[in-house]
Amino acid sequence: MRKKIVAGNWKMNTLPAEGVELAKGVVAGRGEVCSCVNFIVCPPFTHLSEVAAALKGSDIELGAQNCAAEAKGAYTGEVAASMIAALGCKYVILGHSERRQYYGETSETLNKKMAQAYENSLTPIYCVGENLAEREAEKHFDVVKAQIEEVVYNLTAEQFKNLVIAYEPVWAIGTGKTATADQAQEIHAYIRKVLAAKFGAAAEECPILYGGSCKPSNAAEIFAKQDVDGGLIGGAALKAEDFLAIGKGFAK
Ligand code: 13P
């Protein structure tokens, strides 16, 4: 049985005090959702520590939204994987389309970031997904395949056991336009096939999350699909009630 995961990517939102309130709200309402759902929140670096304190005693886990490609040293403005691990993070989002698009993250950089994550016992949530032009040109399968082959294929079998994939079509992020449940299933199944080509049966255990305008009203239908193991949530993760309601979308 694969893990069911609902992860909140807060992006560059909330001030520290607001983040703590949000985390407390998630903790307070968590009991209403099946304990079979694993909740993860990924606040900005600046409030990881305070949010970690707010989550204490709950089963809600903490993740960061990025980490540096290097271990430490003269890299002004960067945050090392060891630093976020020391603050209590168990996960790190890597390769988000916003980072690929606005900060020029390439597979080369991402390979280094993945290595840093594993060296510090963090589980990467590795994001893949095509943009609108690529979807319209029916290149989405090739795009995600390359994003997986260039990075995930470099992992050892042992590392692969600690990996979460998030499929996030760029055209669905923050646009209010979601992939249909069938579109999500089609590409999630394909991603699993690409993973299986390298890692065999272990691909069956890898959680693959859907991200892109996921909200309480559409989560259940998308999560009901066989190869969709949860969601990576942006906007709707900024309201404790909505974030938790998405977790209620698991009927299986
Ligand atoms: P939205 O849920 O706001 O579309 O964002 C999705 C996302 O990018 C999560 O990483």
Side-chain angles (χ1 to χ4, degrees):
M1 262 274 276
R2 286 191 292 273
K3 259 187 165 177
K4 303 180 200 317
I5 297 175
V6 176
N9 174 8
W10 295 4
K11 306 193 181 183
M12 198 170 72
N13 293 298
T14 71
L15 292 174
E18 294 164 340
V20 167
E21 275 317 295
L22 175 54
K24 283 184 179 164
V26 176
V27 171
R30 198 270 172 268
E32 294 160 30
V33 188
C34 178
S35 59
C36 60
V37 180
N38 297 270
F39 283 105
I40 304 166
V41 294
C42 304
F45 290 133
T46 43
H47 18 312
L48 284 174
S49 194
E50 285 169 75
V51 169
L55 298 178
K56 216 166 178 166
S58 79
D59 66 349
I60 295 154
E61 296 179 293
L62 190 65
Q65 298 172 22
N66 184 26
C67 73
E70 311 295 337
K72 65 173 182 174
Y75 300 101
T76 302
E78 289 292 284
V79 178
S82 61
M83 298 170 185
I84 59 177
L87 293 182
C89 286
K90 297 275 177 276
Y91 296 85
V92 60
I93 298 171
L94 290 177
H96 192 281
S97 62
E98 286 151 16
R99 298 223 45 98
R100 293 179 192 262
Q101 202 179 336
Y102 307 142
Y103 303 99
E105 280 196 2
T106 59
S107 294
E108 194 187 342
T109 327
L110 288 167
N111 279 313
K112 290 169 133 189
K113 293 189 175 198
M114 294 284 271
Q116 285 303 316
Y118 285 111
E119 263 173 46
N120 291 282
S121 305
L122 296 166
T123 298
I125 301 174
Y126 179 69
C127 304
V128 299
E130 80 286 354
N131 63 30
L132 185 61
E134 290 161 343
R135 168 66 67 163
E136 283 173 347
E138 294 185 10
K139 292 211 173 97
H140 44 297
F141 294 112
D142 295 342
V143 170
V144 299
K145 185 168 187 247
Q147 288 168 335
I148 290 169
E149 285 180 346
E150 289 169 16
V151 177
V152 178
Y153 273 24
N154 296 327
L155 303 181
T156 64
E158 210 42 46
Q159 288 172 329
F160 178 70
K161 285 187 197 158
N162 268 313
L163 176 71
V164 176
I165 301 267
Y167 167 68
E168 301 203 306
V170 178
W171 48 270
I173 296 178
T175 57
K177 197 177 166 196
T178 0
T180 64
D182 286 338
Q183 280 175 326
Q185 169 56 24
E186 179 185 42
I187 197 142
H188 280 228
Y190 175 75
I191 290 169
R192 202 175 300 288
K193 202 175 91 183
V194 173
L195 295 174
K198 169 78 180 175
F199 297 102
E204 276 305 309
E205 304 303 316
C206 180
I208 305 177
L209 314 183
Y210 169 78
S213 300
C214 196
K215 43 188 185 268
S217 58
N218 59 29
E221 191 188 350
I222 299 172
F223 294 177
K225 294 292 176 182
Q226 194 189 337
D227 287 289
V228 181
D229 306 307
L232 181 56
I233 319 301
L238 296 172
K239 265 180 141 182
E241 203 186 343
D242 288 351
F243 184 57
L244 291 164
I246 287 172
K248 292 179 188 160
F250 282 104
K252 53 184 179 185

